[in-house]
PDB file of all heavy atoms in Angstrom:
ATOM      1  N   ALA A   1     171.846 113.028 102.052  1.00  0.00           N
ATOM      2  CA  ALA A   1     170.685 112.154 102.227  1.00  0.00           C
ATOM      3  C   ALA A   1     169.395 112.933 102.443  1.00  0.00           C
ATOM      4  O   ALA A   1     168.309 112.401 102.221  1.00  0.00           O
ATOM      5  CB  ALA A   1     170.915 111.217 103.417  1.00  0.00           C
ATOM      6  N   LEU A   2     169.492 114.195 102.868  1.00  0.00           N
ATOM      7  CA  LEU A   2     168.304 114.936 103.284  1.00  0.00           C
ATOM      8  C   LEU A   2     167.246 115.091 102.192  1.00  0.00           C
ATOM      9  O   LEU A   2     166.053 114.892 102.468  1.00  0.00           O
ATOM     10  CB  LEU A   2     168.709 116.304 103.834  1.00  0.00           C
ATOM     11  CG  LEU A   2     169.389 116.272 105.208  1.00  0.00           C
ATOM     12  CD1 LEU A   2     169.865 117.663 105.599  1.00  0.00           C
ATOM     13  CD2 LEU A   2     168.439 115.718 106.262  1.00  0.00           C
ATOM     14  N   PRO A   3     167.600 115.448 100.942  1.00  0.00           N
ATOM     15  CA  PRO A   3     166.542 115.567  99.928  1.00  0.00           C
ATOM     16  C   PRO A   3     165.803 114.260  99.684  1.00  0.00           C
ATOM     17  O   PRO A   3     164.578 114.260  99.477  1.00  0.00           O
ATOM     18  CB  PRO A   3     167.310 116.022  98.677  1.00  0.00           C
ATOM     19  CG  PRO A   3     168.581 116.602  99.175  1.00  0.00           C
ATOM     20  CD  PRO A   3     168.920 115.832 100.401  1.00  0.00           C
ATOM     21  N   ILE A   4     166.521 113.141  99.723  1.00  0.00           N
ATOM     22  CA  ILE A   4     165.878 111.843  99.512  1.00  0.00           C
ATOM     23  C   ILE A   4     164.992 111.500 100.701  1.00  0.00           C
ATOM     24  O   ILE A   4     163.869 111.005 100.539  1.00  0.00           O
ATOM     25  CB  ILE A   4     166.944 110.748  99.287  1.00  0.00           C
ATOM     26  CG1 ILE A   4     167.934 111.162  98.197  1.00  0.00           C
ATOM     27  CG2 ILE A   4     166.287 109.418  98.927  1.00  0.00           C
ATOM     28  CD1 ILE A   4     169.101 110.217  98.032  1.00  0.00           C
ATOM     29  N   VAL A   5     165.498 111.789 101.916  1.00  0.00           N
ATOM     30  CA  VAL A   5     164.708 111.537 103.127  1.00  0.00           C
ATOM     31  C   VAL A   5     163.417 112.349 103.097  1.00  0.00           C
ATOM     32  O   VAL A   5     162.320 111.826 103.382  1.00  0.00           O
ATOM     33  CB  VAL A   5     165.531 111.879 104.386  1.00  0.00           C
ATOM     34  CG1 VAL A   5     164.650 111.870 105.636  1.00  0.00           C
ATOM     35  CG2 VAL A   5     166.680 110.892 104.554  1.00  0.00           C
ATOM     36  N   ASP A   6     163.525 113.625 102.749  1.00  0.00           N
ATOM     37  CA  ASP A   6     162.336 114.483 102.716  1.00  0.00           C
ATOM     38  C   ASP A   6     161.301 113.966 101.717  1.00  0.00           C
ATOM     39  O   ASP A   6     160.090 113.962 101.996  1.00  0.00           O
ATOM     40  CB  ASP A   6     162.734 115.915 102.357  1.00  0.00           C
ATOM     41  CG  ASP A   6     163.502 116.605 103.479  1.00  0.00           C
ATOM     42  OD1 ASP A   6     163.428 116.119 104.623  1.00  0.00           O
ATOM     43  OD2 ASP A   6     164.172 117.617 103.212  1.00  0.00           O
ATOM     44  N   ALA A   7     161.764 113.526 100.559  1.00  0.00           N
ATOM     45  CA  ALA A   7     160.840 113.013  99.543  1.00  0.00           C
ATOM     46  C   ALA A   7     160.162 111.731 100.021  1.00  0.00           C
ATOM     47  O   ALA A   7     158.946 111.544  99.827  1.00  0.00           O
ATOM     48  CB  ALA A   7     161.584 112.762  98.231  1.00  0.00           C
ATOM     49  N   MET A   8     160.914 110.843 100.660  1.00  0.00           N
ATOM     50  CA  MET A   8     160.337 109.592 101.143  1.00  0.00           C
ATOM     51  C   MET A   8     159.354 109.841 102.286  1.00  0.00           C
ATOM     52  O   MET A   8     158.310 109.187 102.378  1.00  0.00           O
ATOM     53  CB  MET A   8     161.451 108.638 101.581  1.00  0.00           C
ATOM     54  CG  MET A   8     162.328 108.158 100.431  1.00  0.00           C
ATOM     55  SD  MET A   8     163.732 107.147 100.975  1.00  0.00           S
ATOM     56  CE  MET A   8     162.889 105.699 101.591  1.00  0.00           C
ATOM     57  N   ARG A   9     159.671 110.800 103.155  1.00  0.00           N
ATOM     58  CA  ARG A   9     158.753 111.118 104.255  1.00  0.00           C
ATOM     59  C   ARG A   9     157.453 111.703 103.716  1.00  0.00           C
ATOM     60  O   ARG A   9     156.370 111.417 104.244  1.00  0.00           O
ATOM     61  CB  ARG A   9     159.434 112.091 105.213  1.00  0.00           C
ATOM     62  CG  ARG A   9     160.492 111.428 106.099  1.00  0.00           C
ATOM     63  CD  ARG A   9     161.182 112.421 106.995  1.00  0.00           C
ATOM     64  NE  ARG A   9     162.036 111.754 107.977  1.00  0.00           N
ATOM     65  CZ  ARG A   9     162.867 112.381 108.790  1.00  0.00           C
ATOM     66  NH1 ARG A   9     162.966 113.701 108.744  1.00  0.00           N
ATOM     67  NH2 ARG A   9     163.599 111.709 109.653  1.00  0.00           N
ATOM     68  N   ALA A  10     157.554 112.531 102.690  1.00  0.00           N
ATOM     69  CA  ALA A  10     156.344 113.107 102.095  1.00  0.00           C
ATOM     70  C   ALA A  10     155.469 112.020 101.482  1.00  0.00           C
ATOM     71  O   ALA A  10     154.238 112.046 101.608  1.00  0.00           O
ATOM     72  CB  ALA A  10     156.735 114.148 101.046  1.00  0.00           C
ATOM     73  N   GLU A  11     156.096 111.049 100.826  1.00  0.00           N
ATOM     74  CA  GLU A  11     155.342 109.937 100.251  1.00  0.00           C
ATOM     75  C   GLU A  11     154.656 109.115 101.342  1.00  0.00           C
ATOM     76  O   GLU A  11     153.482 108.751 101.216  1.00  0.00           O
ATOM     77  CB  GLU A  11     156.285 109.041  99.440  1.00  0.00           C
ATOM     78  CG  GLU A  11     156.644 109.572  98.069  1.00  0.00           C
ATOM     79  CD  GLU A  11     155.472 109.444  97.110  1.00  0.00           C
ATOM     80  OE1 GLU A  11     154.787 108.405  97.118  1.00  0.00           O
ATOM     81  OE2 GLU A  11     155.227 110.408  96.364  1.00  0.00           O
ATOM     82  N   ALA A  12     155.398 108.824 102.413  1.00  0.00           N
ATOM     83  CA  ALA A  12     154.830 108.018 103.497  1.00  0.00           C
ATOM     84  C   ALA A  12     153.682 108.739 104.177  1.00  0.00           C
ATOM     85  O   ALA A  12     152.720 108.109 104.630  1.00  0.00           O
ATOM     86  CB  ALA A  12     155.921 107.671 104.512  1.00  0.00           C
ATOM     87  N   ALA A  13     153.750 110.078 104.262  1.00  0.00           N
ATOM     88  CA  ALA A  13     152.712 110.853 104.939  1.00  0.00           C
ATOM     89  C   ALA A  13     151.384 110.825 104.191  1.00  0.00           C
ATOM     90  O   ALA A  13     150.340 111.118 104.783  1.00  0.00           O
ATOM     91  CB  ALA A  13     153.175 112.299 105.129  1.00  0.00           C
ATOM     92  N   LEU A  14     151.412 110.468 102.912  1.00  0.00           N
ATOM     93  CA  LEU A  14     150.176 110.402 102.144  1.00  0.00           C
ATOM     94  C   LEU A  14     149.267 109.284 102.631  1.00  0.00           C
ATOM     95  O   LEU A  14     148.041 109.373 102.527  1.00  0.00           O
ATOM     96  CB  LEU A  14     150.493 110.206 100.655  1.00  0.00           C
ATOM     97  CG  LEU A  14     151.254 111.356  99.975  1.00  0.00           C
ATOM     98  CD1 LEU A  14     151.608 110.967  98.546  1.00  0.00           C
ATOM     99  CD2 LEU A  14     150.429 112.634 100.005  1.00  0.00           C
ATOM    100  N   ASP A  15     149.858 108.213 103.163  1.00  0.00           N
ATOM    101  CA  ASP A  15     149.080 107.081 103.679  1.00  0.00           C
ATOM    102  C   ASP A  15     149.878 106.412 104.791  1.00  0.00           C
ATOM    103  O   ASP A  15     150.505 105.369 104.589  1.00  0.00           O
ATOM    104  CB  ASP A  15     148.785 106.087 102.553  1.00  0.00           C
ATOM    105  CG  ASP A  15     147.815 104.992 102.978  1.00  0.00           C
ATOM    106  OD1 ASP A  15     147.344 105.025 104.133  1.00  0.00           O
ATOM    107  OD2 ASP A  15     147.527 104.095 102.162  1.00  0.00           O
ATOM    108  N   PRO A  16     149.887 107.001 105.994  1.00  0.00           N
ATOM    109  CA  PRO A  16     150.727 106.482 107.079  1.00  0.00           C
ATOM    110  C   PRO A  16     150.471 105.021 107.421  1.00  0.00           C
ATOM    111  O   PRO A  16     151.394 104.296 107.798  1.00  0.00           O
ATOM    112  CB  PRO A  16     150.382 107.401 108.255  1.00  0.00           C
ATOM    113  CG  PRO A  16     149.886 108.655 107.626  1.00  0.00           C
ATOM    114  CD  PRO A  16     149.167 108.212 106.376  1.00  0.00           C
ATOM    115  N   ALA A  17     149.233 104.576 107.277  1.00  0.00           N
ATOM    116  CA  ALA A  17     148.926 103.182 107.616  1.00  0.00           C
ATOM    117  C   ALA A  17     149.648 102.202 106.707  1.00  0.00           C
ATOM    118  O   ALA A  17     149.851 101.040 107.070  1.00  0.00           O
ATOM    119  CB  ALA A  17     147.418 102.943 107.542  1.00  0.00           C
ATOM    120  N   ARG A  18     150.048 102.667 105.515  1.00  0.00           N
ATOM    121  CA  ARG A  18     150.763 101.821 104.557  1.00  0.00           C
ATOM    122  C   ARG A  18     152.233 102.221 104.473  1.00  0.00           C
ATOM    123  O   ARG A  18     152.884 101.995 103.447  1.00  0.00           O
ATOM    124  CB  ARG A  18     150.119 101.922 103.178  1.00  0.00           C
ATOM    125  CG  ARG A  18     148.652 101.593 103.145  1.00  0.00           C
ATOM    126  CD  ARG A  18     148.370 100.145 103.461  1.00  0.00           C
ATOM    127  NE  ARG A  18     148.841  99.242 102.418  1.00  0.00           N
ATOM    128  CZ  ARG A  18     148.744  97.909 102.483  1.00  0.00           C
ATOM    129  NH1 ARG A  18     148.234  97.343 103.554  1.00  0.00           N
ATOM    130  NH2 ARG A  18     149.166  97.163 101.486  1.00  0.00           N
ATOM    131  N   ALA A  19     152.758 102.791 105.546  1.00  0.00           N
ATOM    132  CA  ALA A  19     154.177 103.146 105.612  1.00  0.00           C
ATOM    133  C   ALA A  19     154.883 102.175 106.546  1.00  0.00           C
ATOM    134  O   ALA A  19     154.306 101.701 107.528  1.00  0.00           O
ATOM    135  CB  ALA A  19     154.353 104.578 106.107  1.00  0.00           C
ATOM    136  N   ILE A  20     156.134 101.880 106.239  1.00  0.00           N
ATOM    137  CA  ILE A  20     156.946 101.008 107.088  1.00  0.00           C
ATOM    138  C   ILE A  20     158.230 101.746 107.446  1.00  0.00           C
ATOM    139  O   ILE A  20     158.999 102.143 106.576  1.00  0.00           O
ATOM    140  CB  ILE A  20     157.234  99.649 106.404  1.00  0.00           C
ATOM    141  CG1 ILE A  20     158.086  98.756 107.316  1.00  0.00           C
ATOM    142  CG2 ILE A  20     157.864  99.806 105.030  1.00  0.00           C
ATOM    143  CD1 ILE A  20     158.150  97.302 106.864  1.00  0.00           C
ATOM    144  N   ALA A  21     158.434 101.972 108.737  1.00  0.00           N
ATOM    145  CA  ALA A  21     159.580 102.732 109.231  1.00  0.00           C
ATOM    146  C   ALA A  21     160.808 101.833 109.321  1.00  0.00           C
ATOM    147  O   ALA A  21     160.714 100.663 109.681  1.00  0.00           O
ATOM    148  CB  ALA A  21     159.258 103.331 110.595  1.00  0.00           C
ATOM    149  N   PHE A  22     161.959 102.407 109.007  1.00  0.00           N
ATOM    150  CA  PHE A  22     163.223 101.694 109.160  1.00  0.00           C
ATOM    151  C   PHE A  22     164.272 102.652 109.686  1.00  0.00           C
ATOM    152  O   PHE A  22     164.155 103.874 109.543  1.00  0.00           O
ATOM    153  CB  PHE A  22     163.677 101.067 107.826  1.00  0.00           C
ATOM    154  CG  PHE A  22     164.083 102.072 106.776  1.00  0.00           C
ATOM    155  CD1 PHE A  22     165.405 102.495 106.656  1.00  0.00           C
ATOM    156  CD2 PHE A  22     163.144 102.596 105.901  1.00  0.00           C
ATOM    157  CE1 PHE A  22     165.766 103.418 105.689  1.00  0.00           C
ATOM    158  CE2 PHE A  22     163.499 103.516 104.932  1.00  0.00           C
ATOM    159  CZ  PHE A  22     164.820 103.926 104.821  1.00  0.00           C
ATOM    160  N   GLN A  23     165.303 102.102 110.309  1.00  0.00           N
ATOM    161  CA  GLN A  23     166.393 102.927 110.823  1.00  0.00           C
ATOM    162  C   GLN A  23     167.474 103.056 109.767  1.00  0.00           C
ATOM    163  O   GLN A  23     167.938 102.061 109.207  1.00  0.00           O
ATOM    164  CB  GLN A  23     166.977 102.300 112.099  1.00  0.00           C
ATOM    165  CG  GLN A  23     168.063 103.119 112.768  1.00  0.00           C
ATOM    166  CD  GLN A  23     169.461 102.828 112.228  1.00  0.00           C
ATOM    167  OE1 GLN A  23     169.728 101.722 111.768  1.00  0.00           O
ATOM    168  NE2 GLN A  23     170.337 103.814 112.264  1.00  0.00           N
ATOM    169  N   GLY A  24     167.870 104.292 109.495  1.00  0.00           N
ATOM    170  CA  GLY A  24     168.971 104.497 108.565  1.00  0.00           C
ATOM    171  C   GLY A  24     168.612 105.441 107.440  1.00  0.00           C
ATOM    172  O   GLY A  24     167.462 105.839 107.251  1.00  0.00           O
ATOM    173  N   SER A  25     169.632 105.787 106.679  1.00  0.00           N
ATOM    174  CA  SER A  25     169.448 106.639 105.512  1.00  0.00           C
ATOM    175  C   SER A  25     168.949 105.819 104.332  1.00  0.00           C
ATOM    176  O   SER A  25     169.076 104.590 104.317  1.00  0.00           O
ATOM    177  CB  SER A  25     170.787 107.302 105.147  1.00  0.00           C
ATOM    178  OG  SER A  25     171.245 108.122 106.195  1.00  0.00           O
ATOM    179  N   PRO A  26     168.373 106.466 103.325  1.00  0.00           N
ATOM    180  CA  PRO A  26     168.001 105.736 102.108  1.00  0.00           C
ATOM    181  C   PRO A  26     169.195 104.979 101.536  1.00  0.00           C
ATOM    182  O   PRO A  26     170.304 105.504 101.453  1.00  0.00           O
ATOM    183  CB  PRO A  26     167.554 106.867 101.168  1.00  0.00           C
ATOM    184  CG  PRO A  26     167.068 107.939 102.088  1.00  0.00           C
ATOM    185  CD  PRO A  26     167.982 107.883 103.283  1.00  0.00           C
ATOM    186  N   GLY A  27     168.960 103.727 101.174  1.00  0.00           N
ATOM    187  CA  GLY A  27     170.032 102.880 100.669  1.00  0.00           C
ATOM    188  C   GLY A  27     170.612 101.934 101.693  1.00  0.00           C
ATOM    189  O   GLY A  27     171.425 101.075 101.363  1.00  0.00           O
ATOM    190  N   ALA A  28     170.177 102.048 102.960  1.00  0.00           N
ATOM    191  CA  ALA A  28     170.659 101.140 104.009  1.00  0.00           C
ATOM    192  C   ALA A  28     170.070  99.747 103.816  1.00  0.00           C
ATOM    193  O   ALA A  28     169.078  99.557 103.107  1.00  0.00           O
ATOM    194  CB  ALA A  28     170.280 101.682 105.385  1.00  0.00           C
ATOM    195  N   ASN A  29     170.675  98.777 104.476  1.00  0.00           N
ATOM    196  CA  ASN A  29     170.143  97.416 104.393  1.00  0.00           C
ATOM    197  C   ASN A  29     168.710  97.341 104.904  1.00  0.00           C
ATOM    198  O   ASN A  29     167.890  96.577 104.380  1.00  0.00           O
ATOM    199  CB  ASN A  29     171.037  96.458 105.192  1.00  0.00           C
ATOM    200  CG  ASN A  29     172.303  96.085 104.444  1.00  0.00           C
ATOM    201  OD1 ASN A  29     172.254  95.686 103.286  1.00  0.00           O
ATOM    202  ND2 ASN A  29     173.447  96.224 105.103  1.00  0.00           N
ATOM    203  N   SER A  30     168.395  98.129 105.922  1.00  0.00           N
ATOM    204  CA  SER A  30     167.027  98.127 106.438  1.00  0.00           C
ATOM    205  C   SER A  30     166.049  98.705 105.417  1.00  0.00           C
ATOM    206  O   SER A  30     164.874  98.295 105.379  1.00  0.00           O
ATOM    207  CB  SER A  30     166.956  98.920 107.746  1.00  0.00           C
ATOM    208  OG  SER A  30     167.651  98.248 108.774  1.00  0.00           O
TER     209      SER A  30
END
């Protein structure tokens, strides 16, 4: 999951105000 997590975190960091945090790995129901 780590490469996908890192890519998603980098995307979210570009505009934190438009990021939505969820608990879990990529692909979780959240």
Side-chain angles (χ1 to χ4, degrees):
L2 288 175
I4 309 173
V5 170
D6 290 342
M8 294 175 67
R9 285 178 171 172
E11 282 287 318
L14 296 175
D15 188 2
R18 304 294 292 178
I20 180 167
F22 68 91
Q23 184 272 331
S25 298
N29 282 310
S30 292

